[in-house]
Amino acid sequence: MTVNFAPGDLVRARGREWVALPPPREGILALRPLSGSENDTVILDPMIEIMPVEPARFDLPADAAPTVQAKAALLADAMRLTLRRGAGPFRSAAQLAFEPRTYQLVPLLMALRLQVPRLLIADDVGIGKTIEAGLILRELMDRGEVDAFSVLCPPHLVEQWVGELKSRFGIEAVAVTSGTAARLERGLPLAQTLFDAYPFTVVSLDYIKAEKRREGFARACSDFVIVDEAHACVGTHKGKQQRFELLSGLARDPERRMILLTATPHSGDEEAFARLLSLIDPSFTSMNFEDARYRERLARQFVQRRRIDLLSGEWHEDRTFPKHETTEFSYRLSQSHLDFQEAALDYCLGVVSTAGQSQRERRLAFWGTLALMRCVGSSPAAGLSALRNRISNEADRLEPQIYDEDGDDEDAVDIEPSAVFETDSALQALVKRAEDLIHKPDPKLAALIDVLTPVIKKGANPVIFCRYLATAEHVRDGLRKAFPKLTIEAVTGVLTPDERRDRVADMVPTEDGKEVQRVLVATDCLSEGINLQQLFDTVIHYDLSWNPTRHQQREGRVDRFGQPAELVRSIMMFSPDSAIDGAVLEVILRKAEEIRKATGVTVPLPEERGPVTDALMASVMLRRGGTRQLMLDLRLDDGTKAMEARWRDVSENEKKSRARFAQNAMKPQEVAPEWEKAQTLLGSPADAKLFIERAMSRFGVPLEARKSILLAHVDALDGGLRERLKQRDMNGSVRLAITEPAPSGTSLVTRTHPLTATLAEALVEASLDPETLSGLGIGRVGAWPTAAVQQMTRLSLLRIRFKLTIHARKERLLLAEEAALVAVQGGKIVATGDAARALLNTPAASDLAPVARDRFISRAKDDLRGLIEGPLTDFVRWRADKLMQDHARLRAAAGSASRVTVEAVLPPDVIGLFVLMPSEV
């Protein structure tokens, strides 16, 4: 006989009970063990099973073991924390390993309001764009709307994305890069692509943009794509054009969901901004931003928040970000170092004054001058390297290096540039001076040590950013001598992205349980890509960047969402003796800071670099006492005036942009209530902490408090639990954070934390199957007197299943579950939810004699069927109606054409039955 099973039905197969899940195809069953996790799901064909698959019931067994109040409360908490398929409108809430901030839910709600979600998320650096995109992805996966996805990002971000998806969202994705693709493709059938075999991928843009791969990827690409650093895909360079062709090809499919992320969407380039907007809607390329109707349309798909927006007004996310203290530190050059810099500048000005008449020759002379002076000002070692390198035929590469632009196909360049035109006696003399200075005390390094000494005494962990590789190595070696007890490492462009990540990860925060201070010296290869907030809390700009956004990117590695320190420091070093430092401060950094104070945003350099170069040269020459006539001959005054005009334009454009595109339509009160409701049903981080404390204490291994963290000594647990935790890489003493952001070396306690999940699953299994972890003594029935009630009350711990049917273009059936406590007095429900939980959590007033306890339990069991068929079934149906209203309310607010129906699967499973009596009786 063939029996048809619907999702949510209970079945018996292979000697145990299962829950039927939505099947992969007709005639096949997907089953999850009734007392197991979703990782234990099996697929089977009933026609080939040795024993028939039969309907089953989940009844409270006659021999259910009795338990005491504390263990009954523990079981109820465990049941709530084990469920992963929430029934509410935010299904992803059950799967997250962190607590999202309210503002981070805004893009998620925006996505749910769109028939085909396409968003440009342009929040400031460090606000959490990865988290916001991950929330959208996780939610759509849990709604059954996404079966495969690709994250496209620069190569240095691939591993970070893989790690974030796994640690925060429980999603296992594979990295697709030039180094991994061949291995992943090895052994695949000819008809199967890498993306068919691996539905969850994080893909290097530089690997996949090549024409030979681009077309194949477009054919195999899933219909959900996240693009990080999207602004790097819309420029005019060859590599950016290839990226744009790739993305525009993907965007041509009107059904493809796309989430674009960037902290710099506009950057003053209207054409590039229009190309970026065209990826979310082709009609946006010809929009008139002065028209309020167009801006209203764009606001549905474009969200941009400054940090100041979230620290004031209605959002007031005060503890989301640390306080940021910015200071400057000036130092004096020694006479020998000053003489060296002036000699280098004299040499450069000589080259400039004898440059040819063509604009290109003059511009090349300016670039060579600025490049050499940058290196000389950075360190004698960097200056020596530049002095030894002759300018090649690729001199046009100098300009992007000077202004700290990322290379088209690589990370920020930290190799000293070729800056010398020809070798002569003056150059030889400079080389000799640089060689001599390398072996003399360095006043800049001495100043850094002066900066670090008080900061380190306060317990800080600094990152020191240098512009050049030679400088970084020089600084690392000097600091190791000055601070021999600290862990000091350097990360530069000579390391591969994986090696950089490993070197940072190896700077472990603890040694024998004690905090170890660390200092990282880095070039700008780390100003993007690797988040440093868990290990570092201070940024020192040893070398000034000539691109204001680079300073923001450096500081953004540390000053970002998830920084556990309450104070982040950033210190900018410069020398008033240095003509090049003074010119950069005057022409670039001070102007950008004025705009940042006025608009709240760090702006990039104007796109046209000619005036910038002229203004810098003019400032350098004036500081060096250059002749006015030479400045006039070279028309440098024109560049200075043009630069002033450019900064005014940038400032005004930024103000207009912020006024046009600020995301003010959505308020906190629209976002928070539904998420808070999901937390109440599923268990918040505070609930998870309380559960772990109770569970560990019941197992005889209480948590140990250490300042702001807790230590869980899992090696002292029961052997069965210890083995389960070992399988989840939990050994020894686990460091737990109880507040977010979590300090380095700890993990935040949440419902999905491996310790929470393992303990909860073990407790539920031990109650349902007494032979499993029998030493835990978790029973399913009990009776005790308590001050919480005035008359006899029966508490039922239920597991309820619901069928969610999403009626849209493609109808989907989902299985959802909920744990519930229902208190009944005299056949009527008197408390549910938190009120019923409070009754169960009230300690027993005393112990009953076993014979009296068993009598109360026996009577409750005899009456249970009547409760199930009466008030408990009424409650389950009421919950189904309530859930349907919640879904309808959210989708109505979202303007969604789809609707959700919720059907209860009856009868509910009775996990526990407890009798509470007035303590006076």
Side-chain angles (χ1 to χ4, degrees):
M1 180 181 70
T2 301
V3 180
N4 293 322
F5 297 106
D9 288 349
L10 298 185
V11 304
R12 183 168 182 81
R14 301 181 181 179
R16 66 187 298 186
E17 280 72 38
W18 309 75
V19 180
L21 303 177
R25 65 178 187 271
E26 190 174 349
I28 301 297
L29 292 178
L31 303 177
R32 191 203 69 218
L34 193 58
S35 59
S37 71
E38 303 217 356
N39 294 330
D40 301 321
T41 298
V42 300
I43 306 295
L44 59 83
D45 184 345
M47 301 301 294
I48 60 175
E49 289 294 304
I50 297 175
M51 299 295 292
V53 181
E54 300 174 331
R57 282 182 59 91
F58 188 89
D59 295 319
L60 191 67
D63 60 349
T67 193
V68 296
Q69 176 272 327
K71 290 186 178 180
L74 202 57
L75 174 60
D77 289 342
M79 176 57 61
R80 176 167 64 153
L81 292 168
T82 56
L83 300 183
R84 291 287 179 267
R85 294 175 177 265
F90 288 120
R91 303 205 72 217
S92 58
Q95 304 285 0
L96 304 180
F98 68 102
E99 187 64 16
R101 294 294 192 261
T102 305
Y103 75 85
Q104 291 172 334
L105 300 172
V106 169
L108 172 58
L109 283 182
M110 292 174 65
L112 296 178
R113 293 179 178 187
L114 297 168
Q115 199 72 30
V116 177
R118 284 201 181 182
L119 293 181
L120 175 56
I121 302 175
D123 290 339
D124 275 355
V125 171
I127 282 180
K129 292 182 290 297
T130 301
I131 288 172
E132 292 166 345
L135 282 170
I136 297 170
L137 171 61
R138 180 77 255 186
E139 181 65 31
L140 294 182
M141 288 177 67
D142 292 332
R143 288 168 177 251
E145 297 181 36
V146 168
D147 300 316
F149 69 84
S150 287
V151 176
L152 305 180
C153 61
H156 59 273
L157 294 178
V158 170
E159 290 301 327
Q160 180 175 306
W161 265 100
V162 171
E164 290 279 299
L165 290 174
K166 181 178 180 180
S167 63
R168 291 187 180 274
F169 301 99
I171 301 171
E172 298 270 1
V174 299
V176 180
T177 66
S178 56
T180 66
R183 174 177 54 81
L184 294 173
E185 290 173 335
R186 195 174 299 133
L188 293 181
L190 289 176
Q192 188 179 37
T193 71
L194 184 159
F195 299 98
D196 294 326
Y198 301 96
F200 302 162
T201 55
V202 180
V203 186
S204 163
L205 270 167
D206 286 349
Y207 168 76
I208 209 67
K209 74 184 181 187
E211 189 172 348
K212 62 181 179 180
R213 302 187 188 101
R214 190 167 67 227
E215 294 179 5
F217 176 67
R219 289 192 297 270
C221 183
S222 67
D223 67 350
F224 187 90
V225 174
I226 295 171
V227 183
D228 200 2
E229 301 292 342
H231 62 276
C233 302
V234 294
T236 56
H237 296 300
K238 179 183 176 183
K240 293 182 178 180
Q241 287 177 339
Q242 288 178 321
R243 295 173 189 170
F244 182 73
E245 288 171 10
L246 168 68
L247 296 185
S248 58
L250 297 179
R252 278 194 285 272
D253 181 352
E255 300 302 314
R256 179 167 280 120
R257 283 77 57 88
M258 298 182 71
I259 309 298
L260 310 180
L261 310 178
T262 175
T264 53
H266 195 280
S267 301
D269 186 339
E270 295 284 355
E271 181 181 350
F273 186 47
R275 284 158 67 91
L276 191 59
L277 293 179
S278 73
L279 297 174
I280 56 175
D281 188 330
S283 69
F284 287 158
T285 56
S286 56
M287 288 183 66
N288 175 11
F289 296 122
E290 303 303 323
D291 190 322
R293 292 172 300 174
Y294 285 128
R295 292 201 303 273
E296 184 179 342
R297 276 186 58 210
L298 181 60
R300 300 187 194 121
Q301 296 176 264
F302 178 57
V303 56
Q304 184 176 30
R305 277 88 54 91
R306 301 172 301 172
R307 188 173 299 194
I308 194 172
D309 297 332
L310 306 176
L311 296 175
S312 59
E314 295 179 288
W315 294 100
H316 52 76
E317 298 274 359
D318 292 333
R319 188 57 195 98
T320 299
F321 306 107
K323 180 183 177 183
H324 193 153
E325 179 184 280
T326 301
T327 57
E328 296 180 356
F329 188 90
S330 63
Y331 61 92
R332 310 302 304 208
L333 293 174
S334 67
Q335 190 60 50
S336 58
H337 282 77
L338 181 59
D339 290 345
F340 172 58
Q341 290 199 15
E342 290 188 345
L345 188 51
D346 285 340
Y347 166 80
C348 290
L349 294 180
V351 172
V352 169
S353 64
T354 57
Q357 295 301 309
S358 75
Q359 185 175 4
R360 171 176 169 73
E361 288 177 318
R362 287 202 304 270
R363 189 71 62 212
L364 187 57
F366 291 169
W367 291 341
T369 294
L370 296 175
L372 179 57
M373 292 310 300
R374 284 208 71 179
C375 293
V376 167
S378 177
S379 69
L384 180 60
S385 179
L387 286 167
R388 287 173 171 167
N389 297 333
R390 272 188 75 143
I391 286 182
S392 67
N393 293 328
E394 297 182 346
D396 287 349
R397 292 174 59 88
L398 271 176
E399 185 183 19
Q401 288 182 335
I402 290 169
Y403 294 113
D404 296 346
E405 297 176 9
D406 290 343
D408 191 32
D409 297 304
E410 54 193 347
D411 298 329
V413 177
D414 56 12
I415 300 295
E416 298 75 26
S418 303
V420 176
F421 290 85
E422 58 184 33
T423 302
D424 55 22
S425 58
L427 180 65
Q428 293 294 342
L430 280 176
V431 170
K432 181 66 170 63
R433 284 196 185 206
E435 290 172 341
D436 292 342
L437 284 180
I438 286 177
H439 304 293
K440 292 183 178 180
D442 182 353
K444 187 175 181 181
L445 180 60
L448 174 63
I449 293 170
D450 291 341
V451 169
L452 285 174
T453 300
V455 170
I456 287 173
K457 283 183 179 179
K458 294 176 182 178
N461 296 287
V463 184
I464 300 157
F465 278 103
C466 305
R467 180 61 183 85
Y468 298 112
L469 190 156
T471 303
E473 294 176 345
H474 166 66
V475 169
R476 176 202 59 199
D477 295 343
L479 293 182
R480 283 178 174 173
K481 293 177 182 177
F483 303 101
K485 294 183 180 180
L486 302 187
T487 299
I488 299 174
E489 295 289 352
V491 172
T492 67
V494 299
L495 303 177
T496 67
D498 287 344
E499 289 171 336
R500 297 171 206 168
R501 194 174 303 279
D502 291 344
R503 183 161 295 183
V504 171
D506 287 344
M507 299 183 74
V508 290
T510 59
E511 185 180 274
D512 300 328
K514 295 181 180 179
E515 190 74 13
V516 175
Q517 275 185 283
R518 50 206 167 269
V519 177
L520 178 64
V521 182
T523 63
D524 285 317
C525 70
L526 271 196
S527 66
E528 293 183 276
I530 299 179
N531 293 336
L532 303 173
Q533 74 271 25
Q534 285 296 316
L535 292 174
F536 302 96
D537 52 30
T538 299
V539 171
I540 297 176
H541 303 284
Y542 187 76
D543 290 329
L544 299 177
S545 173
W546 290 19
N547 187 342
T549 55
R550 179 70 73 193
H551 274 204
Q552 182 191 34
Q553 289 164 345
R554 290 172 173 180
E555 294 169 8
R557 296 303 96 207
V558 170
D559 182 13
R560 61 191 300 110
F561 177 76
Q563 169 59 257
E566 294 187 8
L567 173 66
V568 164
R569 300 176 181 87
S570 60
I571 303 169
M572 185 174 73
M573 295 179 59
F574 68 93
S575 174
D577 300 331
S578 168
I580 203 73
D581 278 4
V584 172
L585 284 169
E586 175 189 39
V587 174
I588 299 175
L589 298 180
R590 300 286 189 224
K591 301 295 184 184
E593 179 63 12
E594 289 175 11
I595 297 173
R596 189 195 64 79
K597 288 180 178 179
T599 66
V601 176
T602 300
V603 296
L605 281 172
E607 282 292 306
E608 189 180 345
R609 297 297 160 78
V612 185
T613 305
D614 293 346
L616 281 171
M617 283 301 303
S619 180
V620 167
M621 293 176 72
L622 284 175
R623 290 171 184 278
R624 186 65 182 87
T627 66
R628 192 76 187 173
Q629 186 58 48
L630 178 59
M631 291 176 59
L632 291 172
D633 290 344
L634 296 174
R635 303 184 67 179
L636 295 182
D637 275 358
D638 292 346
T640 302
K641 294 173 184 175
M643 188 61 190
E644 291 286 345
R646 296 291 191 284
W647 278 126
R648 285 195 298 272
D649 291 344
V650 167
S651 178
E652 291 304 313
N653 288 340
E654 189 57 44
K655 290 176 183 177
K656 288 180 182 178
S657 174
R658 289 293 168 170
R660 289 169 177 168
F661 307 127
Q663 174 54 256
N664 297 316
M666 201 169 287
K667 306 298 181 184
Q669 55 269 28
E670 293 181 66
V671 179
E674 295 297 342
W675 195 268
E676 291 168 357
K677 193 179 296 184
Q679 270 198 336
T680 301
L681 288 170
L682 297 168
S684 66
D687 295 325
K689 170 183 173 287
L690 184 60
F691 167 74
I692 289 179
E693 287 178 333
R694 289 175 174 176
M696 295 292 287
S697 294
R698 296 306 303 179
F699 299 149
V701 190
L703 296 176
E704 178 186 347
R706 285 273 190 93
K707 293 184 179 179
S708 61
I709 68 167
L710 298 172
L711 290 181
H713 303 293
V714 299
D715 278 0
L717 288 168
D718 168 271
L721 282 172
R722 197 164 59 241
E723 185 60 32
R724 290 180 179 220
L725 288 166
K726 188 176 181 181
Q727 292 173 1
R728 295 187 173 184
D729 298 324
M730 306 207 78
N731 301 292
S733 296
V734 179
R735 292 163 54 89
L736 303 172
I738 54 178
T739 58
E740 199 171 21
S744 59
T746 69
S747 51
L748 181 69
V749 173
T750 63
R751 70 188 316 276
T752 61
H753 189 282
L755 183 58
T756 312
T758 303
L759 294 177
E761 290 167 8
L763 286 170
V764 172
E765 288 184 43
S767 69
L768 299 180
D769 183 359
E771 295 182 4
T772 302
L773 300 170
S774 56
L776 300 184
I778 303 295
R780 296 172 58 185
V781 294
W784 57 84
T786 173
V789 298
Q790 300 300 313
Q791 65 182 85
M792 188 179 72
T793 303
R794 289 168 178 169
L795 267 175
S796 299
L797 174 59
L798 306 178
R799 177 172 53 197
I800 311 170
R801 286 181 294 283
F802 302 97
K803 298 178 186 179
L804 272 63
T805 305
I806 300 177
H807 304 273
R809 288 173 302 167
K810 179 182 177 182
E811 189 169 285
R812 293 180 302 279
L813 177 63
L814 307 174
L815 180 64
E817 293 180 322
E818 202 170 274
L821 273 170
V822 182
V824 178
Q825 293 176 356
K828 292 184 178 180
I829 295 175
V830 295
T832 61
D834 286 343
R837 200 170 300 280
L839 298 180
L840 183 60
N841 284 333
T842 302
S846 60
D847 292 329
L848 288 177
V851 64
R853 178 199 65 198
D854 293 345
R855 185 171 65 250
F856 282 113
I857 291 173
S858 178
R859 289 177 183 171
K861 285 181 179 179
D862 291 342
D863 296 339
L864 181 57
R865 183 164 296 278
L867 281 179
I868 291 175
E869 295 175 352
L872 294 185
T873 290
D874 292 341
F875 168 77
V876 171
R877 287 176 172 153
W878 174 82
R879 276 299 301 153
D881 289 341
K882 190 72 174 171
L883 285 167
M884 195 148 58
Q885 293 172 22
D886 290 344
H887 281 276
R889 184 171 57 256
L890 182 68
R891 287 179 178 263
S896 172
S898 62
R899 62 187 181 88
V900 177
T901 56
V902 182
E903 177 188 352
V905 178
L906 295 170
D909 299 339
V910 180
I911 304 298
L913 181 62
F914 312 109
V915 183
L916 280 58
M917 293 158 295
S919 54
E920 293 83 1
V921 177

